[in-house]
Every structure is written in C-alpha cells, then in structure tokens.
Amino acid sequence: MRATSSVIVGRDAEVGLLDEALDSAGRGAGRAVFLVGEAGIGKSRLAGECALRAYDRDMPVLRGRATSTGLVVPFRPLVEALSSRFRAAGTPDDPELDPYRPALAGLVPEWRSGATAPGYTISLVELAEALLRLLAVLGRERGCVILLEDLHDSDTETIAVVEYVADNVAGLPVLLVGTLRPDPGPALDLALAAELRNTAELHELVPLDEAAVRDMVEACLDAGPGEVPPAAHRHLAQRAGGNPYLVEVLLADLLDSGRLSRAEGGWRIADQGGATVPTGAVRSWARRLSRLDEPVRELLLLAATLGGRFSVEALRAVTGLDDRALFAHLRSASEAGIIAPDGAAHDHYTFRHVLTADALRASLPPAEQAALARRAATAIEQSAGELSSEQRQLVATLRLAAGDKVTASRQFAQVGQELLDAGASGSAAVLLERARGLAADEDRDAITVQLAIAEAESGRLDAASALLDDLPPAPAGSRAAQERAQAHTQVAWVATMAEQQHEAHRRIRAARALLGTAPRPEQEAALVVVEGHLALLPQPAGNRGDRERLPDRLEEAERSARAAALTAEERGRPVVACRAWQLLALLSRERGFDEADACLVRMLEVAEKHRLASCRAESLVRLGTNAFMRTGEATQLETARAAAQELGSLALLQTTDGLLAMQSVLGARWDRAREIVERSLEASARLQNLSAHRYLLLVDATLAAHQGRAREQDRALARFRRAGGEESMLVPLQRGLCQAVGALMAEDRRRAAAELDAALAWERQHPSFFYLSGRYGLSPLLRALDGDAGSRDAYEEALASPGGQLAWNRMFLGLTDAVLRGRAGDPDGAQHAVARAARAAAVFPQVWHLALRLTAEGALADSWGEPVTWLRTAEEYFHEAGVPPVAGACRALMRQAGVSVPQRRGGRERIPAELRAAGVTPREYEVFVLLAERPGNQQIAQRLCISPRTVEKHMASLMTKTGSADRSALCKLSAELAEDPGRPGAARPMTPA
C-alpha cells in the first residue's frame, strides 16, 4: 500500500522564501536560491511546490534533474530543464537569441541542425551566457524559473554554468532554484561560495520535529486529529529521524504488514513485539520486496544494480526477458510505488527516490551484490556493438562494484579521453581523475598526462602543472617522453593565451627537455608557434635586456613561424599551421598589409580544407580588421561578424563587436558605437573575455574623447586601468587614439603632443602592431604645425611605412604634406595635398574637421590655401556637435585673420531651467559648465578663446545670479549638476560665441 503526503508540512519558512523570490523575479530582480539537505529531507517537494506557485503566476518553468547513476553526462540537468519547457511551449523565436542559438544547440535539440560549425567547441562561458540570455527572454513579461535538482550528482560543466547564472542573474527576471545534498563536492562548494559572494541564498533543510511528523502522517492517511494512535506517531518519529521520505517508507511498511490498520473511529496499531519491528529503510524495503512476486523482485534488484535511473535497453540485456514479460514486471513495480517512468526520457525508468535503489542493493550480501554487478556488466558488453559513452561508464561502474578496478579504470579513461576530444574538459577531468585513482601502475602515468591536459583546458592551470611536475622521469625521446612533451606544449599554449608568461616558459622548457636535441619537425613546429605568440606579449617591467633584443626576437619569431607553418601543413597538424599563419600575419604587417593578408588567406585555406571552423572565423575577422584599417569601411568586418555568429563563438563575436564599435567611433557614428558597447561590455566581463573587454572599455573612453567629453573619458579610462589595460598591448591606442585626440578636442595641444610621445616611447620598448596610435599620422602633422626641425623626416618615415597607407593616417599625412609644402612656398602643391587628404577622410567627419582647424592655423601663418573657409566649416561643425573649445578656437583664428565672425547667442534651450530663470546667459553658462573641473581663469580663457578679464566678469555675474557665496561654492554646484545629467538643471555643454 502506498503512503504519501499530498501536502507539504513543516516548511512554512522555506515556502515563504520561495514565494518572495518568485515575486522578486516577476519584478525583474532575479535571485538564486540553493536548498541543501540530506536525501529524503524534502528538497524535491519544495522544488515542486515552487513550480506550482510559478505556474499560478503564469511564469515559464524549466525543470531538470541530475542523474543519480554516477554516470558523467555533460549538461544533463540543463538539457532536461529546457526540454521540459520547449516540449510544451515550443522553442522561442525571438531575434535577440539569434547570436546565441549555436551556443544553445547543445542543450536544445531543435537548434542542432547546422547550428555549430564542425570543428568548433562552444566554451562553457559562452554556453552559460547564452543560457542567461535565453532565460531573460523567457522571463521578459512575468519572470521565469529554472529548477535544477540533485546538483550534487551533476557534471562539472553544469556546475560551472549554474555558477555563472547565479553570479549574473541579479537584474534579470529569472529565479534559479537548485537542490543538493550537504556532501563535500563541487556543488556544495558552489553554493557556499555564492552565498559568501552574496549572489545566492543558501537554505539548509532541517529534519521535521514531532509535531510536523504527526501532521505528515495524518495527511498520508487522510486522518483527522487524534485518529492515529500516539504509539504509531512515536514509532515513526523515532525511526525516521524527521526525514519525510523515511516517514513514508516506514509508514508503508506498517500498512503492508498489517501492524497499522483502520479501525472503527480511527486507526489501530498492533503490538510491535520488539524484535520483529524493522529498524531502518533497508529492513523495511527487504520486507516489502519479500511480498512481491519472485520475477518482479529479481527485476528490481537488477535494476537497482544499474543505479537510481536505468534504461529499458540495459535492463532487457541484463534480465534476458522479452518485451512482454519485461514491461509486465515494470508495470507491477510501478504500481507498487517503487519505480516510475522517467519524464525526461521515454525509454528510462527511475526509482521513486534514490534511497530506494541504495536500500535494495544493501538488502543483499556483498558477494551477491558483486555477482549481480558482474553479470550486468557482461550482459551489457555482449548485447551492444560499440559501447556509447554512457554505456561504457555504466560498465565501468559495474566492474568497479564487482571488484575489478583495473578494467573499470580503463573504461573510465577511455570515456574521459572521448569527452576531452569533444571539448567537455571538465567532465573529462572528473572521469580521468577517477580512472587515475583506480589505475594499475603501468596505466597511471599515461592517464595523468591526459588528466593534466583536461585540467588545463578547463582553466585549472595550477592543477595541470602540479600533475605534470609530479610525473616520474622519462628518458628523453622515448614514447612516454613524447606524449608528456605534447601535454607540456598544450598547457604552454593555454598559459600563453591566459598571458601567464612564466608558466608558459616553464612548460616549453620541460617539453624541450623531454624531446631531447632532435625533436620531430611537427613537435618543433608546435613549440615554435607557442614561443612566437609569447614573444608578442608585453614584457614585465625590469626586463630591459629583453626589450633591447626585441627586434631580433621578433625577426627570429617570424623566421621560425614561417618554417613551422609549412612543416605543420606537411605533417598533418592543421591547427598548429593556422596558429603559425595567424602569428605571421601580425609579424609581417611591418612590411605591408598585402603580405599580412596573404598569410591570413593561407590560414583561411588551411582552415577550410580541414574544416576548422574556429580558425576559419578567426581568419575572416582578421582579414576584416585589415580591410577596415586600410579603407575605414566595415563591410568585410560585418561579414566576419556573421561568420563568428554562425560559428557560435561569443568570444570572437565580442572581439568583432569591439572592432566595429571603434570603426563607428572613428566614423562619428556615436549612437551605433554606444549601442555596441552597451550590448557587449558587461557580457564580455561575464565571459571573462579579457582582451575583448579591455578593448571595449577603450572604445568607450575613445567615444567620449572624440566627442570632447573629458569627464566621461576619464571615468571610462579609470575602468580601463582597473581591467589591466595599461599592462596590455592597447597602451599605444589609449595614448594616441584616445587621450591625444581628447586633448585636441579640449584645445590642449601640449598635452596631445605629450600623449603621442608616450605612445611612441611604449612602442619602442614593446611589440606593437597597432597603426592608429598617431605615430603614422597625427604626430607628424602636429610636429609640422609646430615647426619641428625633424617634421619632414617624421613625415617621410610615416609615409614609407605600412601604417602610412591606412585611410586614417593618409588623412593626417596628406595635411602634413600640405603644411610642409605651404611653408616651402608651394601653395598649389599644398592645395592638391589637402584634396588628397579629403578623399581619404570621407569616412572620418569629426576628426577631419578637427584636422582642418589645425591645418588652417598653418595656412594662415604661411598664406596658402583657404583657411578661412576651412575654419568656417569646422566652426559650424563643432558648434552643432557641442564641442565649445574647438568651435571657439575656430572663431578666434578667424578674428585674427580679420574676418567678421557673427556672434552665436543662441542655445538658451541648453541652459537648465533653474539657471535660465536666474538670468544666466549662454556665454555665462559656457563658463559655468567648465567650473566642474575647477580650472583657473587662465585655463577657462584658453578653452573658450576669451580674455581672463572677461572670465572674471562672468564669474562675478554667475556668483550673483546663483547665490553662490564664493568661487568654491559655484564650482561645487557645477560639479553636482554635471554628476547627474538627467536631473533638471544639469550642466550640458554649450557653444561659445
């Protein structure tokens, strides 16, 4: 007889917590809740109650459970959770999810067809970010819930994804609920760490007290208060220990044995007789089994040997029954309340509770348990042709239960290697670690090598290094040494990509020592490619000798990489070949972008020949980048972005988005640039895509700099520094493309020159492959305008370099040529040079007008060209753009030329209402805006191109009109309004008269 409670008792606090969390998710304030407790304590019941309450709110619910069989199946709870939703509601077709479909294809079967290109493995973080976006879309209207049960049985990939979601769910309409046991392991570590970071709530379920047990028993029996004898309550409370599952099991045993029966007016319990009473679940289940038919009892014992969840196919192989008899026995066991069909898979069954399978196995003597496991393993091996990964793991588990550790180890190791090859490095590490612990002496070292690779590719470089360091010596050149050398090389590559230079060098030295003095060509090629990429990383401070040898190092790296590329192609190592061509594309830029593109085209050909989707997309992105730098256009870059999106590589997609955002900044498409940055910046941080994140931060700062927004630029640069930007290869762009242009927008020529000098000094000490840092364009122009004696040489050097052929730099170099020709008495040649520069500048309107303003200064001094026309054009442009310093400088230069300049007294609509009501004029407001930075009168005069005396008059008027006691109070008011640009009265830039 079944005895289950239809209501939840003793869990009011937990239900209240989940209710509050559901309401919070519905308001868009996501939360993560972990319910922790021993087996049978009621975690799943609470999860079910949460689902019911979510359904009442019309919230989408996704529910999945980890397998309790001990098999490592990557992402099983997540696949089940998404399937539980999409089977009923269909897959969402929101366009916002288009970039994430390839990443989600591994979890959503409907999106698998052609979703991910062959040869590319979606990273865990990409998958986690994609899942987060999917949940946000599903919960957009009312919130949504994802319930993941038995996380203690989950694979490491699922744990990593859950951790990512928990850490980033705040601010999204999503509730994550996870259940787990308090057993030491990754799941508990995750829950405790998330609670410590305040990104999740952890609630431990305690046993029910006697009153709650009494309420539960009455609910199971549908009895009123007082109808169940106190002796029955005491019996269940003492033996179940407050565990709801054990209460039900022991209650069922009392009912089945007839010791608890319905009587007139209530229930009656028979005298227990002491010794005959079962004292735990094992004896209780043994008694229940004894009442079943023999075939059903044997089937259940064999099923329990297979684990808490088992397939019909495996059970058929082990029992040898035909389908008619097999399903008849399964129905009998299901009707007895012992097993149930698995809702997630039509050909699987599960025990009603994992403790049930444990108890059934424990009811047999150890020798009989081992014999059943051996029989099951042999039957599965004989019934299948090539074992699947799950079947092989099951066989390994059964062999281990039968006492055959060596066979179990080899089976676990084989599955671990298969998972590693498929990119599931976390699950591979779990299985390889299990295999290593069981391995025979002759197998252990080989398994350790593969485990080290799995650990490195999972991001655990320290663990990988420790494993490799602990291996016993191997003779140089031996087969074991070659296998270990390959592992060292792979770990060195991972360390290089993580910019851990010291560890990468250690691994390379170890690999070379193992290979001896005569490594095979393909082994040497793989090492050379890693060493070449290492040579590009900025050297730590204090490595002066390395910096002095920089040209020689890069020349040697290029020579070696070229040989490595050809060798790798010949020896069937296409991934190494692609990495080598990628390296050569960077190194050969010094001789021209045609040669660099040729290397990338070769990389593309190798990638397409060998179906290396990731390398193909990478080559397209780099070809698109080169095209953008040459022309200023983004057509090829957009094509490359489509390839990255088709591939499903979110990291590469973010890298491409950063490049497109920078192209939009240079083209003065501010809204487009801002949209890309806002879309990708936080996502790149969550993905830990550090290189793309830094670049996007720099784009954000450059966006502000090119608009003349100094305070926004400073805030963005502070974020860039906190992300390690000033220790990266982006320093030349930070100094030359961002800060130097920002200084010119503030009419601070001296600071702009200092920033360009700093960029050049950095490039002389580090490998640098950025050509928009000012060295090849802006710097020669400023030097020419300043009359620098070396300006002609700087111009000719820049013009002869590959960087001088890029559209951005051609614009500045054309104007540099014009200034030098005009000064030398060649006005016609100067005018033609300006026309050439204008053709290159067609896609860079903002900086072109800035360059015109600068060039007009030289043209006025040397009497050539049309400086007044240029100044009028630039003044109009920057007046409309809201960049007062440049517009004011244009007017001042026109006045110096003796040209009448109309006063611009418009713009009262830009003055905040409270200041306008106080009578503040447009010119006074221009001064007021600048006061947020607390400049002196002389600085204000220079910025606005007015006299210090005029500034004093405006200051006095402003203090009177605003009621400020002194200059400090006026500056404070300006800063307060600038900090809150959305409030009425906020300071906004004005254009000076």
Side-chain angles (χ1 to χ4, degrees):
M1 179 176 181
R2 301 180 65 172
T4 56
S5 173
S6 59
V7 297
I8 294 179
V9 299
R11 301 297 186 205
D12 292 345
E14 291 82 358
V15 171
L17 169 67
L18 294 173
D19 255 338
E20 181 187 350
L22 286 167
D23 291 340
S24 180
R27 296 191 300 270
R31 294 166 69 175
V33 177
F34 292 108
L35 302 175
V36 182
E38 64 181 10
I41 202 67
K43 303 183 294 296
S44 294
R45 295 193 190 203
L46 280 171
E49 183 68 17
C50 180
L52 290 174
R53 291 171 183 257
Y55 289 135
D56 289 342
R57 292 168 168 82
D58 203 19
M59 297 171 73
V61 176
L62 300 87
R63 190 172 183 180
R65 180 191 300 274
T67 177
S68 60
T69 61
L71 307 187
V72 178
V73 184
F75 308 119
R76 183 189 187 280
L78 300 175
V79 172
E80 184 176 319
L82 269 60
S83 297
S84 70
R85 168 68 185 175
F86 298 155
R87 273 197 301 269
T91 54
D93 56 4
D94 195 298
E96 184 180 332
L97 294 176
D98 288 348
Y100 303 99
R101 290 177 191 270
L104 289 167
L107 305 181
V108 183
E110 293 84 347
W111 289 345
R112 286 178 188 168
S113 177
T116 305
Y120 178 72
T121 302
I122 298 293
S123 76
L124 275 180
V125 185
E126 289 173 324
L127 176 61
E129 175 65 17
L131 176 62
L132 196 66
R133 294 297 181 100
L134 172 62
L135 296 174
V137 167
L138 291 176
R140 185 178 291 153
E141 295 183 4
R142 299 179 183 84
C144 80
V145 183
I146 179 166
L147 299 164
L148 300 173
E149 300 180 55
D150 294 341
L151 287 174
H152 52 273
D153 286 326
S154 284
D155 54 286
T156 59
E157 283 82 8
T158 294
I159 295 298
V161 171
V162 171
E163 181 174 30
Y164 185 95
V165 173
D167 282 348
N168 295 286
V169 77
L172 297 176
V174 178
L175 170 61
L176 164 67
V177 177
T179 72
L180 61 149
R181 294 185 197 170
D183 303 334
L188 185 60
D189 292 344
L190 154 67
L192 293 172
E195 183 187 37
L196 192 62
R197 293 193 300 268
N198 292 319
T199 59
E201 298 174 66
L202 187 150
H203 194 89
E204 187 169 359
L205 302 184
V206 298
L208 301 179
D209 58 23
E210 289 192 14
V213 171
R214 182 178 62 249
D215 292 343
M216 182 177 177
V217 171
E218 290 172 350
C220 288
L221 298 175
D222 196 21
E227 291 186 12
V228 179
H233 286 308
R234 286 195 302 272
H235 171 88
L236 295 170
Q238 291 169 3
R239 288 160 176 76
N243 185 297
Y245 169 73
L246 293 180
V247 169
E248 292 183 348
V249 170
L250 294 170
L251 179 60
D253 181 66
L254 289 177
L255 294 169
D256 288 347
S257 65
R259 296 199 304 277
L260 181 66
S261 58
R262 189 181 294 277
E264 186 176 350
W267 292 81
R268 177 177 62 82
I269 188 167
D271 182 19
Q272 302 304 304
T276 62
V277 180
T279 58
V282 172
R283 292 181 61 186
S284 175
W285 276 111
R287 291 177 63 91
R288 293 187 68 183
L289 277 176
S290 67
R291 301 184 193 106
L292 297 173
D293 293 339
E294 177 64 27
V296 177
R297 183 164 63 249
E298 183 178 356
L299 179 139
L300 285 173
L301 289 172
L302 286 168
T305 302
L306 298 176
R309 176 178 181 268
F310 55 91
S311 72
V312 173
E313 180 185 3
L315 192 60
R316 182 189 296 113
V318 174
T319 61
L321 295 172
D322 59 34
D323 283 353
R324 180 176 180 181
L326 178 66
F327 285 109
H329 299 334
L330 286 171
R331 276 196 302 274
S332 297
S334 182
E335 290 168 359
I338 301 173
I339 62 172
D342 186 348
H346 68 279
D347 59 342
H348 280 66
Y349 279 77
T350 62
F351 283 91
R352 182 170 168 265
H353 195 282
V354 67
L355 286 179
T356 305
D358 294 341
L360 290 176
R361 286 194 300 271
S363 68
L364 297 174
E368 193 170 348
Q369 291 182 42
L372 279 179
R374 192 177 302 110
R375 169 185 166 187
T378 301
I380 293 171
E381 288 172 332
Q382 292 175 348
S383 66
E386 181 66 25
L387 295 177
S388 68
S389 291
E390 285 194 45
Q391 288 174 324
R392 198 174 296 281
Q393 284 188 70
L394 178 56
V395 167
T397 303
L398 292 169
R399 289 297 180 193
L400 181 60
D404 188 352
K405 292 183 179 181
V406 173
T407 302
S409 169
R410 290 171 180 165
Q411 296 281 19
F412 282 134
Q414 184 171 339
V415 181
Q417 185 63 60
E418 291 171 359
L419 291 176
L420 183 59
D421 293 341
S425 54
S427 288
V430 170
L431 288 173
L432 289 166
E433 180 63 48
R434 193 177 298 173
R436 182 170 177 257
L438 300 170
D441 292 342
E442 63 268 22
D443 296 336
R444 187 170 292 110
D445 289 348
I447 293 173
T448 300
V449 168
Q450 295 306 309
L451 175 58
I453 295 173
E455 294 284 18
E457 294 189 0
S458 299
R460 294 185 288 272
L461 274 171
D462 290 346
S465 296
L467 287 165
L468 292 175
D469 289 342
D470 287 344
L471 285 168
S478 65
R479 180 177 177 181
Q482 291 180 6
E483 291 175 351
R484 295 181 196 182
Q486 183 178 350
H488 282 288
T489 304
Q490 288 182 251
V491 174
W493 174 259
V494 174
T496 301
M497 294 300 99
E499 298 185 17
Q500 294 191 22
Q501 297 185 49
H502 176 70
E503 183 59 29
H505 283 298
R506 282 187 66 220
R507 294 302 129 206
I508 289 172
R509 287 194 297 270
R512 290 200 174 280
L514 287 163
L515 293 174
T517 57
R520 294 202 303 268
E522 66 272 20
Q523 295 168 333
E524 177 66 20
L527 285 167
V528 161
V529 169
V530 178
E531 290 169 333
H533 281 273
L534 263 177
L536 302 185
L537 295 178
Q539 296 300 305
N543 287 12
R544 182 176 178 181
D546 286 345
R547 291 173 180 172
E548 291 175 350
R549 294 192 301 270
L550 178 59
D552 293 337
R553 281 197 299 122
L554 295 182
E555 184 179 344
E556 173 61 26
E558 183 175 359
R559 187 165 52 249
S560 300
R562 193 169 298 279
L566 298 175
T567 299
E569 286 190 41
E570 292 172 0
R571 297 295 182 116
R573 300 288 292 274
V575 173
V576 173
C578 285
R579 291 172 180 172
W581 287 118
Q582 178 180 326
L583 174 61
L584 285 166
L586 276 177
L587 295 171
S588 60
R589 274 185 178 181
E590 285 292 331
R591 291 187 300 279
F593 278 70
D594 287 340
E595 187 172 336
D597 281 355
C599 294
L600 292 172
V601 168
R602 185 60 184 157
M603 176 183 174
L604 179 61
E605 291 170 351
V606 173
E608 290 182 337
K609 177 180 178 181
H610 295 278
R611 297 173 59 83
L612 301 176
S614 180
C615 293
R616 176 182 179 274
E618 183 75 43
S619 63
L620 289 173
V621 169
R622 290 176 181 270
L623 283 166
T625 302
N626 286 357
F628 144 58
M629 293 176 69
R630 286 180 167 193
T631 65
E633 298 286 352
T635 305
Q636 276 190 252
L637 208 50
E638 292 284 5
T639 302
R641 186 186 189 279
Q645 180 170 320
E646 180 183 355
L647 174 66
S649 172
L650 298 185
L652 191 58
L653 196 63
Q654 289 166 357
T655 297
T656 313
D657 277 347
L659 294 166
L660 287 168
M662 186 65 84
Q663 190 268 346
S664 297
V665 170
L666 301 187
R669 292 185 295 279
W670 316 125
D671 292 342
R672 167 69 171 155
R674 188 172 294 107
E675 184 271 327
I676 294 174
V677 171
E678 290 176 352
R679 179 183 71 211
S680 303
L681 186 59
E682 295 306 317
S684 66
R686 291 195 297 266
L687 276 173
Q688 299 178 14
N689 186 2
L690 185 58
S691 60
H693 184 64
R694 285 172 175 166
Y695 193 82
L696 285 160
L697 288 170
L698 181 59
V699 171
D700 195 28
T702 307
L703 172 62
H706 283 223
Q707 293 178 277
R709 298 178 177 177
R711 293 174 69 85
E712 293 179 24
Q713 172 192 326
D714 290 343
R715 285 194 289 266
L717 283 174
R719 295 195 296 272
F720 175 73
R721 293 186 187 99
R722 286 196 296 271
E726 292 192 339
E727 289 76 50
S728 73
M729 297 175 68
L730 297 176
V731 171
L733 292 183
Q734 172 202 352
R735 294 287 197 170
L737 190 60
C738 175
Q739 291 175 237
V741 175
L744 291 174
M745 289 294 179
E747 284 296 318
D748 191 341
R749 184 89 63 82
R750 180 177 299 176
R751 181 159 60 89
E755 295 291 356
L756 290 167
D757 288 344
L760 179 58
W762 193 97
E763 289 182 315
R764 284 174 174 163
Q765 296 186 27
H766 302 84
S768 179
F769 305 96
F770 295 107
Y771 293 89
L772 304 184
S773 61
R775 178 179 182 178
Y776 303 100
L778 180 56
S779 181
L781 175 60
L782 294 185
R783 292 181 67 178
L785 289 169
D786 291 341
D788 189 308
S791 59
R792 167 63 65 178
D793 291 341
Y795 162 72
E796 291 179 351
E797 179 185 344
L799 188 64
S801 73
Q805 309 311 307
L806 307 183
W808 177 263
N809 293 328
R810 291 203 310 274
M811 168 180 63
F812 291 115
L813 290 177
L815 295 177
T816 305
D817 186 29
V819 170
L820 293 172
R821 287 177 181 274
R823 186 172 299 151
D826 181 10
D828 291 340
Q831 191 67 32
H832 286 307
V834 171
R836 287 197 306 272
R839 288 193 292 273
V843 292
F844 310 121
Q846 179 100 335
V847 176
W848 167 245
H849 286 89
L850 176 65
L852 276 183
R853 169 261 175 275
L854 293 169
T855 304
E857 192 173 319
L860 283 172
D862 296 322
S863 302
W864 62 272
E866 303 174 21
V868 173
T869 301
W870 301 338
L871 288 170
R872 286 191 188 282
T873 301
E875 189 278 336
E876 180 69 26
Y877 184 92
F878 285 109
H879 170 73
E880 293 298 326
V883 186
V886 183
C890 291
R891 284 192 289 275
L893 285 169
M894 284 190 285
R895 291 193 190 98
Q896 291 174 20
V899 177
S900 175
V901 182
Q903 296 293 310
R904 291 190 182 276
R905 292 304 184 198
R908 286 186 58 82
E909 72 283 352
R910 299 179 184 241
I911 304 176
E914 63 188 66
L915 297 181
R916 194 164 59 242
V920 173
T921 68
R923 174 58 93 185
E924 290 169 348
Y925 183 62
E926 293 164 11
V927 174
F928 179 79
V929 169
L930 297 179
L931 290 175
E933 301 173 22
R934 296 183 179 270
N937 285 357
Q938 189 69 35
Q939 291 173 285
I940 296 174
Q942 290 175 353
R943 297 270 300 268
L944 299 180
C945 299
I946 57 179
S947 71
R949 178 63 181 156
T950 302
V951 175
E952 291 177 10
K953 291 180 180 179
H954 288 321
M955 291 290 294
S957 177
L958 281 167
M959 284 190 280
T960 300
K961 291 177 179 180
T962 61
S964 300
D966 51 27
R967 183 188 184 99
S968 177
L970 189 62
C971 290
K972 182 180 179 182
L973 176 61
S974 176
E976 288 174 352
L977 295 181
E979 286 294 334
D980 189 4
R983 63 171 267 196
R988 291 179 291 275
M990 289 284 295
T991 302

